[in-house]
């Protein structure tokens, strides 16, 4: 069941959002923007944050920036400066007025958030793999010099040690480089 946190600065419009969500498979918690939104989002374990405001305040934007969840904002502001701030805090979907297609907007916001999160994870993995590759190459070079091994034999030595210890190749390479640094 989708857990939705509704931050409400426009009670009249939020009534439309609330009605659009009725009957859906959602758990809904409604807060005013003056509440500690970050803490409530964490406590509630919200999957989606819906913000309903005329124009988001700087304080609200700062709080939203600290929340790593899918965010959907309904607002009246077409101010480019406001929209620029909203982009910086990773609001996944910004809708000017109207809750007619709320479920579609929610799906889009969650999809954007999920896609962004997956990309961040892939980037982190690739960065780690690149860092590991550099460490492995250094460890291979050290083994080649210290033990007079060919590149293939040095790599096999690292691989066998990794299997023996149940570690990743990069971790074993780090251990070897650390020990070489300690031993001089």
């Amino acid at each position: 069941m989708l857990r939705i946190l509704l931050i409400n600065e426009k009670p009249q419009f939020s009534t439309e959002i609330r009605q659009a969500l009725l009957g859906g498979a959602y758990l809904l918690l409604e807060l005013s923007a003056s509440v500690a939104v970050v803490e409530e989002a964490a406590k509630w374990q919200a999957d989606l944050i819906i913000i309903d405001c005329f124009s988001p305040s700087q304080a609200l934007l700062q709080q939203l920036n600290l929340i790593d969840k899918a965010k959907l904002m309904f607002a009246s502001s077409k101010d480019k400066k406001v929209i620029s701030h909203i982009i910086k805090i990773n609001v996944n979907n910004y809708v000017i007025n109207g809750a007619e297609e709320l479920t579609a907007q929610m799906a889009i916001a969650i999809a954007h958030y999920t896609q962004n999160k997956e990309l961040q994870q892939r980037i982190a993995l690739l960065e780690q793999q690149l860092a590991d590759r550099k460490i492995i190459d250094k460890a291979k070079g050290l083994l080649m010099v210290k033990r007079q091994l060919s590149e293939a034999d040095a790599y096999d030595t690292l691989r066998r040690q990794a299997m023996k210890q149940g570690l990743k190749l990069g971790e074993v390479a780090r251990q070897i480089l650390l020990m070489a640094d300690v031993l001089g």
Side-chain angles (χ1 to χ4, degrees):
M1 187 171 279
L2 194 62
R3 300 172 74 86
I4 300 172
L5 178 62
L6 174 60
I7 301 169
N8 176 3
E9 283 191 343
K10 294 178 359 186
Q12 189 175 33
F13 185 57
S14 291
T15 301
E16 292 177 39
I17 292 175
R18 217 177 301 104
Q19 288 174 346
L21 293 171
L22 287 176
Y26 315 114
L27 291 176
L28 182 65
L29 174 65
E30 191 170 351
L31 299 175
S32 75
S34 61
V35 173
V37 174
V38 177
E39 290 79 12
E40 289 298 322
K43 185 170 73 175
W44 178 251
Q45 297 178 335
D47 299 303
L48 173 65
I49 312 295
I50 298 177
I51 306 98
D52 184 21
C53 59
F54 291 106
S55 182
S57 67
Q58 193 62 34
L60 178 59
L61 291 173
Q62 287 172 348
Q63 286 192 71
L64 291 173
N65 192 38
L66 300 174
I67 300 173
D68 186 25
K69 294 292 177 183
K71 298 171 207 149
L72 169 59
M73 184 176 289
F74 290 91
S76 302
S77 179
K78 295 180 184 178
D79 182 353
K80 289 181 181 180
K81 200 172 191 180
V82 170
I83 293 172
S84 174
H85 286 298
I86 290 166
I87 291 168
K88 288 178 186 171
I89 65 164
N90 293 321
V91 167
N92 304 96
N93 212 0
Y94 182 69
V95 180
I96 299 175
N97 296 326
E100 298 82 30
E101 297 181 20
L102 179 61
T103 54
Q105 296 297 333
M106 288 171 32
I108 290 168
I110 291 172
H112 284 171
Y113 170 77
T114 303
Q115 184 180 36
N116 187 32
K117 207 64 172 152
E118 288 171 358
L119 285 173
Q120 289 173 353
Q121 290 170 346
R122 287 182 62 198
I123 288 169
L125 177 64
L126 290 172
E127 287 173 343
Q128 183 61 50
Q129 287 174 342
L130 181 60
D132 285 351
R133 186 81 248 148
K134 289 177 182 178
I135 297 294
I136 291 167
D137 285 344
K138 282 184 180 180
K140 275 192 321 187
L142 182 68
L143 288 173
M144 290 167 63
V145 169
K146 297 288 184 181
R147 296 188 59 201
Q148 303 296 314
L149 297 173
S150 68
E151 184 176 359
D153 289 339
Y155 182 80
D156 284 341
T157 301
L158 285 171
R159 191 179 55 76
R160 279 194 308 273
Q161 191 64 27
M163 289 172 56
K164 182 178 171 183
Q165 292 181 351
L167 297 172
K168 292 183 177 183
L169 207 55
E171 292 168 350
V172 170
R174 279 184 188 78
Q175 288 177 351
I176 289 173
L177 292 175
L178 190 66
M179 290 307 295
D181 194 35
V182 169
L183 297 174

